[in-house]
Amino acid sequence: MSRALLSRNQLTGSIPSSFANIYRLADLDLSSNQLSGWIPPQLGSMPALSTLNLDSNQLSGNIPPSLLSSAGLNVLNISRNNLEGNLPDVFGTKTYFSVLDLSYKQFHGSIPKSLSSVKYIGHLDLSYNHLCGQIPLGSPFDHLEASSCANNDCLCGSPLRSC
């Protein structure tokens, strides 16, 4: 297994989709750079990738569904970017995240219902988006702190105000 730890290097431009060709890449950290453009969907199909940290860049567009439905990705942090759109409803019963940080974005719509069917999410952060609707019941929502869903347009339900 290999690691590419490239945070805080003032990298610019887009994320090369050729990262997906590094077969044994387990950890990819490109956080706190000046990367822009879209997240290559191929990153979600990398066989060994378990940690993907892209926070604090200038990435835009939609989140690739392949990142959220990946069976091998354990830590996904794409917070503090300019991503937008709806959160894809692609979570499955084999989905296992110790960390899923989707905060500080421009996500709209509701929390995907399939998120309540995941095997495990240790830390979930959906704060500072434009999400609306009722927070689903069950795991992983039954152990959320209010701060994990705070500062959305109109989310309601536990752990926030009732609907």
Side-chain angles (χ1 to χ4, degrees), residues 47-105:
L49 190 65
S50 65
T51 299
L52 180 60
N53 193 352
L54 302 175
D55 77 281
S56 302
N57 278 289
Q58 299 159 12
L59 300 169
S60 59
N62 297 320
I63 182 172
S66 61
L67 291 181
L68 300 177
S69 63
S70 171
L73 206 50
N74 188 321
V75 174
L76 177 61
N77 185 348
I78 53 173
S79 65
R80 301 178 193 280
N81 278 289
N82 299 318
L83 299 172
E84 58 189 9
N86 292 333
L87 289 173
D89 198 7
V90 295
F91 297 92
T93 56
K94 294 183 180 179
T95 304
Y96 185 101
F97 285 105
S98 47
V99 174
L100 180 58
D101 193 338
L102 305 174
S103 62
Y104 289 91
K105 305 239 183 357

Side-chain angles (χ1 to χ4, degrees), residues 15-50:
I15 299 171
S17 60
S18 58
F19 269 119
N21 297 332
I22 305 173
Y23 182 75
R24 295 175 50 98
L25 185 61
D27 298 327
L28 178 57
D29 186 350
L30 297 170
S31 63
S32 300
N33 282 295
Q34 298 160 15
L35 297 170
S36 58
W38 296 64
I39 298 173
Q42 299 91 331
L43 297 180
S45 60
M46 294 175 66
L49 190 65
S50 65

